Amino acid sequence: MSTARSAAAGTTGPFDVVGDRVLVGVQVVDISRLSTHPVPVTTQGLVTVAGQGPKDSNGAGKSSFIAALSLLHADEQWRLASGASGAAELLFTAELAAQESRWSNVDRGYLIGVFAMPGATSAEELADDTVTVWLRINRKAPYIDLRWHDGLYVPYGESESDRAGRADEMWRSLPRSNGRTDFHANQLSKVLFGQHARCVSFLSTSVRSSPTANLLAQPLNDLAPQRIFDAIATLTGLDRELDHEQVLRSAEHRHRTTVLDAEKDLADWERDMAVVEAGIARRIKARELLDEARQAWRSRCARHLLDGVEQAHHLRSRLNTLSESIDEIRAEIQGVDDQLAALSDDDGAVRRFDAARKARQELLGRDRELDAGHQAATQNLERLTTRLRELTDAARTTDGRDVETARAEEAEAKTALEEAIAAHGVAKAAEAQARTGIAAAEAGDDVATEQRERLREAGVPAAALVDVVEVAPDERDSWEPRLTPYRHAVVVARADAERARAALADLPGSVVVMAEPAGDEPAADDAATADGATETPATFDLSAFLAAVAQRSGEQAVVDGEAGVLVVGGFTEPITGRASRVAAAESEHRARVAAVEDARAALDTARAALDTAESRTRAARAAEEADAVRSEIAELREANEQRQARRDELAPKLAEAEDVYARELGVRDSRDERIAGLRQTRKRLEHTLSEREAEMFRLTEERDAIGLLDREKAWGDTPEAAEQHLSELGDEQSRTTAEWDEYACRLTNEVAVGCFPPSTPNDEMTAELRELLVTQNWHGGSLETRVGLVQPLQRALRAHLDDTEEHDQHQRQQITEQRTRRSNDLSAARLGLAEAEQTARAHRTSLASGIKAMLTKVGAEFDRLDQEYGGYGAGLDFPEPEPPAEPDKPWRWTVTPKWRRAEGQRMSAYTLRSNTAQMDEKAVKLVCAAALARGGDRPLLLILDELGRNLGKQHRREAVALFERIGNDHNITVVGALQDDMERYAIEASGLYVKLRRRSDTMAYNEEPVIVGDDANRARVQLLRDWLTSYRPGDVAQLGG
Amino acid sequence: MSDDDALWWAKVRSGGPQRVTPDSAYPAGMTRLVEPDARAVWLLPDLPDNARPDVLEELGLSGFPVDQRGDTARVLASCLRCCWSEPSGPIWPGTSASLDDVAASFRAITDTRDDRARHAALLGAVRRLAASGWVGFDEEQRTVRLGPRVAAWNAAELSTLRELWRSMP
Amino acid sequence: MTATTDGQHPVFGPVLSELNERHRDEVLTAFAAVEHGRDPVPEAQLAALRDATLRRHLRRLLDRVGRTLVQVGNGHWTSGYADDVAARLSAEGWQPLPAIDRAVLVLVLVHSVAIPRSQGLLSGDSWTSAHPTSADELVRYAQLPRGEIRPALQRLRAAGLVQSAPWRGRGPDTGTAYLPGPALNRLTPSARQRLEHQLILAAAPESPLAASIRAKQAASEHTDGDR
């Protein structure tokens, strides 16, 4: 228990200030509406608090009063750890008092408790060992400040305002409880009561910020067995034992965490170090390998040098041989060149050949020329013979005429034809005119055609005179001459004469005869008078005209005697009247058609005569030409015979020239052949020469490429030394350079990979190595590339490995040390854990028996109380729980209350439904049982708002009696707020009766409460009251001194 | 209670009260404050009384410092005075008030500083309060309203605030 | 405050209901202390931090709101975002800090922590430091206008990510200087490590340290490929 205490206390400081003292008086300032009067409180037994408000028992602040008592006793329901913010709700609040118009909220209030030793029976004894506890309740956090004072120290004064007014100042003169500040709610329980539970309460909702699970606060069967255990543990003090167990488990947990952390740490570390160690191991291996690789490279260089020496020797001898052979070939070429020169320079032979060829060419040319002439003449002869035959045929139709006669006849025939053509044309024209005359006569358009057209357009009725007048055939000889001057006249009505003249104005020469209007009977007479010239019916009456004409005429042909005009008559056809004019025209036409026929017959005859004359002319000409052709043929035949004679003469000369030429040609061909042969030989020799020279160049290159100096430098010594070195090697002597290359590269690569595994990021290499391995592509390169890189790479790797060697060694050493240390740490942690586990287990074992003993005791008390106060027996089930699987999991005990529902029945668990009153009764009994079982060392306050809530009448009486009994028998004070209907039970059973009073709603604060002790307590109440009110500041001075 | 609830709590912890569209999120243990126009909902975590920041005072631990503590508190008081139009009713959402009204109220409860300094203090405090969700500040309209955090005050605190409200000019 | 009909807080209730009144109060108090406190809380002060059983409950309580308990040094506790929640937030692109604030914060961390640590002046993996970065240095290195840095610093200070400290360096720099703020104590071990790795990779990608971080990251990706 001491461990728990110190662990809970943390640092040393005031602890359990109140201790075994009990509350003997309480005074409040600005708490709800409570008055500031000191209220004496009796210990043990029942204290009832009643209210008398303006209307009923409510409104007098009894809930606030008992809430204040519970706060003063550090009841956990106030959530002290988080500051008891609910306490602020106890402060006087104007709104709640409906006084906001007159009062304002208070920012703070005081709750003052006077604690004295329970055994003190006089003022002196009380004063001797008293502690006055001041809680200042603040509207804002921190909600509670704690101070205290040894001895009595309470606000005093005759009036409310006296007492209330002094509170602040008195508070200020108290020393701060926690150095520079005051203790707050979270320290309340510890500082005042050493963390002992001093109070179990059920507070009404008006001052409770949230429903809490506690034995008295809610129906028992709403609580889990685990919570019932918690409640009992709190009441019996087991909670602090359990706290200790929890502390031990925390320690175990800490150890376990340490072990787990150490294990994880070690594992992580080992994983990290595995990488590091692997690197170190690879580098150690690489260092060994590097030596081997360097040896291999050295041997390779020796072998390489010796190879070079041997190769160079071999090449030199080959070069010598080649050089000699080249010289020989050059000499051969020179010989060939000489022969060629000799052959090419033979001029006589050339000349001879040219002459023979020329002579032959000339003779051949002449022969061909003759032959060609002969051929051409022969062709000409054939053509002429054909022509002669044609001409002879054509000359047969001359009819004996020569060319001249024939031509003269032809000219005559032509002239005759032309004349016939002309005659025919004339006849045809006459015929056409006659045909036109017929048409005109038929249409009546043959006289004054134009004039009549104009008049028709002008709308003037008109007609040709000759159409209007008809002459009887026997009168023709006399009338036709008379009318002839008017053959072309038109007739219009006299009335129209002016219009007619206008219409014809631009036709000069037009003759118009004006007629009388037609239809008068006398006109017929006139016609008769006109001696046979009658008008055509109607239309125009020309009788005046005809009469005038007849009158003027004389004898015979004289038509106008007065003027002396004579007209020749004798027209074959009548000139007047249309029918007579048409008949005249047709007769004319027939005569013309006959004339055309005659002309055509004459024309045909002329044409036939011309054809005959022409063919005679042609035949005469052909006869002339045939004579000329015949003489030409004779000439050609003559020339051909002469040519043949000349060719025969030429033949022997030509044969001789051919022979000479053939001989010279043979000579020339054989020489050309020899020259070609020689040239071939020369070409072959030159090819061989260039081949040899190329070979020589190549060998020289090869010799230079061996780089003997470089090889010697790489080896670093003489070839003899190299020989010596190789001879000292065992089987490896026989290795070729290629094999050595391969071997050295492989070893070097192993070293490189050892230093930098393939996945190594490039930026982890030194610049030199990165250049070699990455830039120059060691890893991916061919063997050839690698061989070139071996030496610098070995050097770089050596540098790298040398650089890292010391660090590697150091790191290895450190790793070893660390591994030892960490393993030791882990072992130590494991040991610590084992010990902690053992301690916790041992403590738990002993605690378990302690808990069981305590619960057995509570069970027994529960049974006893139950039977004593109306029950049939009760008990508790409390199976021992398994120890927690993890040290930070709770060790969870449970308690299941049970009781008999009727006499002789088996006990049934509390969870079985029953009426609420019974539940509450059992709950009260259980609380009391726990309180009784706890032992009598500490006072306990049970606070019950609404005392006897839910209890039936019978139970109420029993419950009140129970509380009174328990209180009297044990160190327990039961404080209960009374409901109206409980008052009569309570007053008789109470050791102390407090009645809070407020008569009117207009009063902000209560009046002085009524405080009455029962017979047993009356004196003590009086004593306490006197003592509490006796306090005066002199005491302050006293205390201050 | 789901993982998403934890995520919402973390978001509010990180970014202050979260404004979401109605019907979009119902994280457990959070009050949903509906905006007056019902277009958005603020998510405000409910903490038990004894898990709220005032516990720090009890324990003597320091919380996060507030710049210009006094002015900030005074400006918040002024905003409350102007925006909590009906103190007998709920504090959220209140009404919006012009910055000038708040400034007038602020002037009445501040010492005799020159106007420019006071205005700077007012603006600074309003922005700070707006950033942490105590007030809403529309810089363009120059209006102020209460932020979602005010809805976290409990009955006792509101009682005190009402008294403050009554005491302010 | 508000409670469901059975009086239980929907988030905290299930955890709290297993506890008795006192323990419940202690756990909630510790919750408030680690959640709202500026600095880590000494475990001696609070039973729920001191006691492993209650701490377990506290841890569960924090877990319900996406937080976790973070031990700082020996015997101090604070709270931080649970790693899985932080991962989900960042996967959702959650970023309450503007870019400029982050840039300024990184500068302070590099100057006050990363550089001193690389010089062996700081040990451990904590992000608190006694090497202030002056405001002038920030302006110089950030290459950002002073007018933007100042409000960023104010916001960071309000969030507890930086705190001001007197400048006691040499040279002409005067005025305020900044240290990483107490909020950095809230980083969980893995978040601390992640931050450190990111700073090293960003600040000195070619250092051997960066190489070993990459190697480890590759290895861890290899071993737990599902992350």
Side-chain angles (χ1 to χ4, degrees):
Chain A
M1 191 167 285
S2 62
T3 320
R5 189 172 293 187
S6 63
T11 52
T12 53
F15 182 75
D16 202 5
V17 170
V18 173
D20 291 336
R21 294 180 188 90
V22 293
L23 183 71
V24 295
V26 63
Q27 194 171 353
V28 298
V29 177
D30 280 331
I31 297 299
S32 183
R33 307 172 144 197
L34 300 175
S35 69
T36 57
H37 298 91
V39 177
V41 179
T42 54
T43 28
Q44 299 188 317
L46 181 62
V47 176
T48 51
V49 180
Q52 186 183 11
K55 297 182 190 68
D56 52 19
S57 70
N58 292 318
K62 56 182 194 285
S63 291
S64 299
F65 181 75
I66 62 171
L69 288 182
S70 94
L71 180 58
L72 200 51
H73 284 85
D75 183 3
E76 283 300 336
Q77 264 197 79
W78 288 99
R79 297 175 169 169
L80 299 171
S82 58
S85 56
E89 294 176 34
L90 290 176
L91 289 172
F92 175 79
T93 300
E95 284 180 348
L96 297 178
Q99 300 287 335
E100 64 265 38
S101 52
R102 286 176 51 208
W103 301 81
S104 57
N105 289 351
V106 295
D107 288 338
R108 58 179 173 272
Y110 297 93
L111 175 52
I112 303 152
V114 182
F115 290 89
M117 292 309 284
T121 50
S122 67
E124 289 73 27
E125 283 175 21
L126 285 167
D128 258 4
D129 199 1
T130 295
V131 170
T132 308
V133 172
W134 282 61
L135 296 183
R136 190 173 76 168
I137 299 174
N138 303 308
R139 182 76 68 180
K140 291 195 306 184
Y143 299 99
I144 291 176
D145 287 316
L146 166 65
R147 290 182 188 179
W148 65 87
H149 192 287
D150 288 336
L152 186 63
Y153 184 73
V154 292
Y156 59 94
E158 293 308 311
S159 69
E160 280 284 290
S161 53
D162 280 356
R163 289 186 290 270
R166 287 205 170 92
D168 282 339
E169 192 198 328
M170 290 184 74
W171 168 264
R172 277 196 296 276
S173 34
L174 285 171
R176 292 183 197 279
S177 57
N178 191 19
R180 293 165 65 183
T181 60
D182 290 313
F183 288 114
H184 301 318
N186 59 340
Q187 301 288 324
L188 203 58
S189 175
K190 187 189 85 183
V191 172
L192 292 181
F193 306 110
Q195 212 91 60
H196 289 88
R198 286 288 294 262
C199 177
V200 178
S201 59
F202 161 58
L203 302 178
S204 86
T205 45
S206 62
V207 289
R208 217 164 17 102
S209 33
S210 73
T212 53
N214 123 351
L215 282 178
L216 301 178
Q218 70 196 105
L220 190 57
N221 54 359
D222 282 359
L223 291 175
Q226 176 197 337
R227 304 304 307 279
I228 293 176
F229 172 81
D230 284 344
I232 294 172
T234 308
L235 282 168
T236 54
L238 277 176
D239 58 338
R240 284 171 312 125
E241 299 287 336
L242 284 162
D243 279 350
H244 183 208
E245 191 272 342
Q246 209 158 315
V247 168
L248 288 177
R249 269 193 290 112
S250 285
E252 187 189 335
H253 179 256
R254 195 164 52 247
H255 282 290
R256 178 179 279 227
T257 312
T258 314
V259 169
L260 289 176
D261 286 352
E263 280 172 351
K264 183 174 179 301
D265 196 33
L266 183 58
D268 287 352
W269 181 82
E270 284 288 1
R271 205 174 54 225
D272 289 355
M273 285 312 113
V275 179
V276 176
E277 283 186 312
I280 293 172
R282 276 199 320 271
R283 279 190 291 278
I284 290 173
K285 181 91 190 301
R287 283 185 197 103
E288 290 163 9
L289 265 176
L290 182 59
D291 285 340
E292 210 179 316
R294 284 160 69 89
Q295 275 309 314
W297 182 249
R298 191 168 151 72
S299 301
R300 180 263 179 198
C301 286
R303 167 53 62 211
H304 196 43
L305 174 61
L306 291 180
D307 281 357
V309 170
E310 195 184 327
Q311 208 179 343
H313 179 72
H314 175 68
L315 284 174
R316 205 176 301 124
S317 71
R318 277 185 66 195
L319 278 170
N320 287 342
T321 319
L322 263 180
S323 178
E324 282 165 24
S325 111
I326 285 171
D327 289 348
E328 281 167 22
I329 292 169
R330 287 212 172 109
E332 270 183 65
I333 290 175
Q334 188 56 49
V336 171
D337 282 350
D338 291 348
Q339 286 182 37
L340 273 174
L343 282 171
S344 315
D345 289 351
D346 190 355
D347 288 343
V350 174
R351 262 197 310 278
R352 270 196 308 279
F353 174 74
D354 284 350
R357 193 180 57 189
K358 204 173 157 193
R360 170 175 168 267
Q361 287 299 107
E362 195 196 5
L363 290 171
L364 267 177
R366 277 160 63 189
D367 183 52
R368 274 184 204 130
E369 193 182 341
L370 290 170
D371 189 37
H374 182 78
Q375 295 287 335
T378 309
Q379 275 178 18
N380 221 357
L381 275 170
E382 274 173 26
R383 187 177 50 77
L384 289 172
T385 312
T386 311
R387 176 74 184 143
L388 180 61
R389 205 157 39 239
E390 286 168 6
L391 291 171
T392 314
D393 285 350
R396 274 187 201 118
T397 53
T398 52
D399 294 340
R401 286 156 175 93
D402 61 5
V403 171
E404 216 140 299
T405 324
R407 273 194 186 147
E409 285 177 8
E410 191 185 335
E412 273 171 43
K414 262 183 193 159
T415 310
L417 178 62
E418 277 161 18
E419 284 168 358
I421 289 169
H424 181 244
V426 170
K428 272 183 97 172
E431 187 265 344
Q433 201 179 354
R435 195 165 55 237
T436 311
I438 296 170
E442 282 171 349
D445 280 350
D446 50 343
V447 177
T449 314
E450 194 137 354
Q451 283 79 358
R452 281 160 60 197
E453 180 64 24
R454 293 280 173 102
L455 291 171
R456 194 161 42 246
E457 284 173 10
V460 180
L465 178 72
V466 289
D467 282 349
V468 176
V469 181
E470 195 116 18
V471 180
D474 51 338
E475 298 289 332
R476 278 181 61 195
D477 287 340
S478 54
W479 274 99
E480 278 181 354
R482 288 178 198 158
L483 289 175
T484 297
Y486 307 102
R487 276 167 76 181
H488 298 290
V490 285
V491 182
V492 297
R494 191 175 291 271
D496 293 333
E498 197 48 35
R499 279 167 65 204
R501 200 186 50 80
L504 299 174
D506 54 347
L507 284 178
S510 299
V511 181
V512 177
V513 176
M514 286 170 290
E516 300 305 323
D520 290 348
E521 206 50 39
D525 300 339
D526 290 345
T529 28
D531 301 333
T534 54
E535 314 152 346
T536 47
T539 319
F540 298 108
D541 178 5
L542 283 175
S543 47
F545 168 76
L546 291 174
V549 169
Q551 195 186 337
R552 283 184 193 175
S553 64
E555 286 301 314
Q556 294 300 331
V558 177
V559 292
D560 190 337
E562 268 172 75
V565 178
L566 181 151
V567 175
V568 181
F571 294 93
T572 50
E573 299 294 333
I575 63 167
T576 58
R578 189 173 293 168
S580 58
R581 281 204 326 271
V582 169
E586 279 173 350
S587 141
E588 171 76 13
H589 182 247
R590 274 189 303 273
R592 295 296 173 229
V593 168
V596 168
E597 286 302 313
D598 292 348
R600 182 167 294 144
L603 187 60
D604 288 346
T605 313
R607 271 190 185 128
L610 182 58
D611 280 353
T612 310
E614 275 172 351
S615 76
R616 280 179 189 147
T617 312
R618 274 194 307 273
R621 277 200 196 120
E624 268 181 16
E625 199 180 339
D627 288 348
V629 168
R630 229 172 261 124
S631 69
E632 195 178 343
I633 287 172
E635 279 168 28
L636 282 173
R637 280 184 184 146
E638 172 80 27
N640 258 5
E641 274 161 21
Q642 284 172 8
R643 268 189 215 106
Q644 191 58 47
R646 286 219 300 277
R647 271 191 88 183
D648 293 347
E649 201 180 326
L650 201 59
K653 284 183 198 163
L654 184 58
E656 192 188 353
E658 287 280 9
D659 281 353
V660 172
Y661 174 71
R663 197 171 60 246
E664 286 301 328
L665 190 65
V667 170
R668 198 193 66 168
D669 283 354
S670 81
R671 197 188 65 211
D672 283 355
E673 211 170 297
R674 276 192 66 203
I675 289 175
L678 284 170
R679 287 209 172 114
Q680 195 66 38
T681 309
R682 189 178 190 281
K683 204 169 158 191
R684 188 170 43 73
L685 285 171
E686 272 178 343
H687 181 71
T688 314
L689 178 64
S690 71
E691 268 181 359
R692 295 281 154 85
E693 279 171 346
E695 171 85 355
M696 189 147 163
F697 182 75
R698 192 174 58 73
L699 289 175
T700 313
E701 289 249 288
E702 209 175 306
R703 193 191 60 194
D704 293 348
I706 292 170
L708 268 184
L709 275 176
D710 287 346
R711 292 189 188 197
E712 203 166 320
K713 207 167 135 198
W715 161 242
D717 207 338
T718 60
E720 290 72 27
E723 194 123 31
Q724 175 70 24
H725 171 79
L726 286 176
S727 70
E728 282 164 11
L729 296 175
D731 297 341
E732 296 169 335
Q733 280 193 53
S734 57
R735 270 193 194 142
T736 64
T737 301
E739 281 165 349
W740 276 117
D741 277 347
E742 226 258 31
Y743 183 54
C745 282
R746 183 164 56 73
L747 288 177
T748 310
N749 189 50
E750 275 175 39
V751 176
V753 169
C755 292
F756 305 105
S759 59
T760 312
N762 295 340
D763 45 15
E764 279 179 36
M765 303 175 187
T766 61
E768 189 183 12
L769 281 164
R770 189 160 54 233
E771 165 70 20
L772 291 166
L773 292 175
V774 182
T775 315
Q776 307 221 24
N777 193 16
W778 163 270
H779 290 302
S782 62
L783 183 61
E784 207 176 332
T785 320
R786 284 187 172 201
V787 168
L789 296 173
V790 165
Q791 206 176 4
L793 183 58
Q794 283 188 350
R795 201 164 45 231
L797 286 170
R798 161 54 52 94
H800 169 72
L801 287 170
D802 286 352
D803 283 352
T804 50
E805 189 161 17
E806 198 182 333
H807 181 250
D808 281 355
Q809 255 171 15
H810 176 70
Q811 211 165 13
R812 267 180 107 186
Q813 196 183 337
Q814 283 216 321
I815 289 170
T816 315
E817 281 170 19
Q818 285 237 352
R819 185 169 285 135
T820 316
R821 193 173 56 70
R822 281 166 192 264
S823 305
N824 288 347
D825 285 356
L826 182 57
S827 310
R830 283 188 177 137
L831 192 63
L833 173 60
E835 281 171 5
E837 277 171 353
Q838 204 178 356
T839 310
R841 204 178 311 128
H843 182 263
R844 205 151 41 231
T845 311
S846 72
L847 181 56
S849 53
I851 289 171
K852 281 191 280 191
M854 180 59 82
L855 291 176
T856 309
K857 212 167 151 194
V858 174
E861 287 288 349
F862 187 34
D863 186 37
R864 188 176 64 77
L865 284 175
D866 188 55
Q867 297 203 27
E868 221 168 291
Y869 296 96
Y872 306 102
L876 300 176
D877 278 343
F878 43 89
E880 184 180 344
E882 292 281 308
E886 303 277 339
D888 59 344
K889 282 193 177 159
W891 189 35
R892 200 156 273 165
W893 284 77
T894 54
V895 167
T896 310
K898 55 184 182 179
W899 55 82
R900 291 192 178 86
R901 312 278 159 149
E903 193 64 57
Q905 275 192 348
R906 283 178 43 161
M907 290 201 197
S908 54
Y910 75 109
T911 44
L912 191 72
R913 286 196 67 83
S914 63
N915 68 60
T916 326
Q918 195 181 50
M919 280 292 171
D920 286 358
E921 176 222 319
K922 300 297 182 200
V924 169
K925 284 175 177 167
L926 184 54
V927 170
C928 293
L932 292 172
R934 157 195 69 123
D937 56 337
R938 288 271 170 165
L940 183 71
L941 191 64
L942 291 184
I943 296 176
L944 297 154
D945 204 346
E946 300 173 47
L947 181 67
R949 172 186 63 112
N950 294 334
L951 299 181
K953 269 184 188 156
Q954 184 195 348
H955 290 297
R956 283 183 197 171
R957 192 181 292 278
E958 284 171 0
V960 170
L962 169 62
F963 293 137
E964 173 66 7
R965 282 277 301 280
I966 289 169
N968 284 332
D969 292 353
H970 303 87
N971 202 357
I972 295 174
T973 311
V974 180
V975 178
L978 282 181
Q979 287 170 299
D980 293 343
D981 60 343
M982 283 289 287
E983 211 158 321
R984 55 203 162 101
Y985 307 118
I987 292 175
E988 58 195 49
S990 301
L992 179 71
Y993 173 78
V994 177
K995 186 162 201 167
L996 305 168
R997 296 183 303 163
R998 189 165 62 91
R999 275 173 306 187
S1000 159
D1001 274 334
T1002 58
M1003 300 172 73
Y1005 289 94
N1006 283 359
E1007 296 158 85
E1008 183 175 5
V1010 174
I1011 300 159
V1012 185
D1014 69 355
D1015 292 349
N1017 282 306
R1018 194 165 294 133
R1020 181 165 178 85
V1021 170
Q1022 192 55 48
L1023 169 70
L1024 289 173
R1025 194 204 315 258
D1026 291 346
W1027 179 60
L1028 289 170
T1029 47
S1030 72
Y1031 174 75
R1032 285 301 176 269
D1035 297 341
V1036 180
Q1038 206 175 8
L1039 282 158
Chain B
M1 187 75 202
S2 67
D3 284 357
D4 281 342
D5 291 339
L7 201 65
W8 275 113
W9 277 79
K11 283 179 179 171
V12 172
R13 161 90 197 178
S14 163
Q18 293 293 300
R19 195 184 146 100
V20 299
T21 52
D23 302 334
S24 65
Y26 296 87
M30 291 207 185
T31 302
R32 292 167 55 83
L33 293 171
V34 181
E35 285 266 23
D37 61 4
R39 289 219 196 111
V41 166
W42 288 96
L43 300 177
L44 186 69
D46 284 339
L47 285 174
D49 273 347
N50 42 347
R52 295 168 69 183
D54 56 3
V55 173
L56 295 176
E57 300 263 6
E58 174 68 20
L59 301 174
L61 299 171
S62 44
F64 285 97
V66 176
D67 283 350
Q68 310 295 330
R69 210 184 167 82
D71 278 342
T72 308
R74 275 190 284 273
V75 169
L76 180 56
S78 301
C79 292
L80 278 176
R81 184 67 182 82
C82 297
C83 299
W84 191 9
S85 45
E86 186 41 70
S88 59
I91 191 163
W92 170 269
T95 54
S96 67
S98 77
L99 190 63
D100 293 340
D101 292 348
V102 176
S105 174
F106 182 57
R107 189 183 312 120
I109 58 168
T110 37
D111 43 21
T112 52
R113 268 182 282 181
D114 72 89
D115 283 351
R116 272 186 60 190
R118 186 167 46 233
H119 190 69
L122 170 74
L123 268 184
V126 167
R127 290 205 181 106
R128 264 195 300 285
L129 288 166
S132 51
W134 286 103
V135 304
F137 181 33
D138 188 331
E139 297 233 13
E140 278 178 23
Q141 303 283 321
R142 296 186 77 71
T143 57
V144 174
R145 48 173 298 210
L146 295 177
R149 272 199 207 270
V150 300
W153 278 317
N154 64 23
E157 286 163 327
L158 287 175
S159 171
T160 307
L161 288 168
R162 272 195 292 274
E163 178 142 320
L164 172 76
W165 191 91
R166 282 192 293 271
S167 71
M168 282 184 63
Chain C
M1 225 182 93
T2 50
T4 51
T5 45
D6 62 349
Q8 263 199 5
H9 190 283
V11 176
F12 301 99
V15 177
L16 296 175
S17 64
E18 296 173 19
L19 298 169
N20 67 31
E21 188 71 15
R22 181 159 59 88
H23 287 163
R24 182 185 303 187
D25 193 18
E26 277 164 355
V27 167
L28 279 174
T29 303
F31 177 89
V34 295
E35 277 286 270
H36 307 306
R38 177 175 176 273
D39 298 303
V41 185
E43 66 178 25
Q45 196 177 352
L46 291 172
L49 294 177
R50 201 162 56 230
D51 181 80
T53 314
L54 295 181
R55 206 159 59 216
R56 186 188 181 94
H57 287 294
L58 173 57
R59 214 184 281 276
R60 286 175 58 205
L61 208 59
L62 286 164
D63 181 63
R64 314 239 338 147
V65 293
R67 309 279 290 169
T68 189
L69 205 52
V70 176
Q71 187 166 20
V72 180
N74 204 9
H76 284 67
W77 298 88
T78 185
S79 60
Y81 293 105
D83 288 330
D84 59 332
V85 168
R88 283 186 61 192
L89 281 178
S90 48
E92 283 187 13
W94 183 265
Q95 182 51 265
L97 285 185
I100 182 157
D101 293 17
R102 279 177 276 154
V104 171
L105 176 60
V106 165
L107 278 177
V108 173
L109 290 178
V110 166
H111 281 265
S112 294
V113 184
I115 292 177
R117 190 181 289 165
S118 71
Q119 292 166 341
L121 299 173
L122 271 183
S123 58
D125 67 341
S126 160
W127 284 98
T128 50
S129 157
H131 301 268
T133 307
S134 79
D136 289 342
E137 269 182 302
L138 283 175
V139 173
R140 214 165 33 242
Y141 292 112
Q143 297 174 333
L144 292 166
R146 190 181 283 265
E148 287 182 35
I149 291 183
R150 199 169 298 280
L153 280 167
Q154 266 173 19
R155 286 190 294 269
L156 288 171
R157 214 149 53 84
L161 288 165
V162 303
Q163 54 188 340
S164 35
W167 170 247
R168 46 187 182 74
R170 297 171 307 265
D173 291 336
T174 52
T176 34
Y178 292 90
L179 283 172
L184 288 159
N185 283 319
R186 295 185 180 276
L187 295 173
T188 62
S190 66
R192 274 203 296 272
Q193 200 183 42
R194 225 166 28 243
L195 177 59
E196 179 179 344
H197 287 178
Q198 282 169 1
L199 274 187
I200 291 171
L201 290 176
E206 283 167 20
S207 62
L209 218 49
S212 80
I213 288 167
R214 276 193 296 271
K216 270 185 201 164
Q217 280 177 350
S220 67
E221 271 161 30
H222 187 69
T223 49
D224 43 38
D226 57 335
R227 274 189 68 93

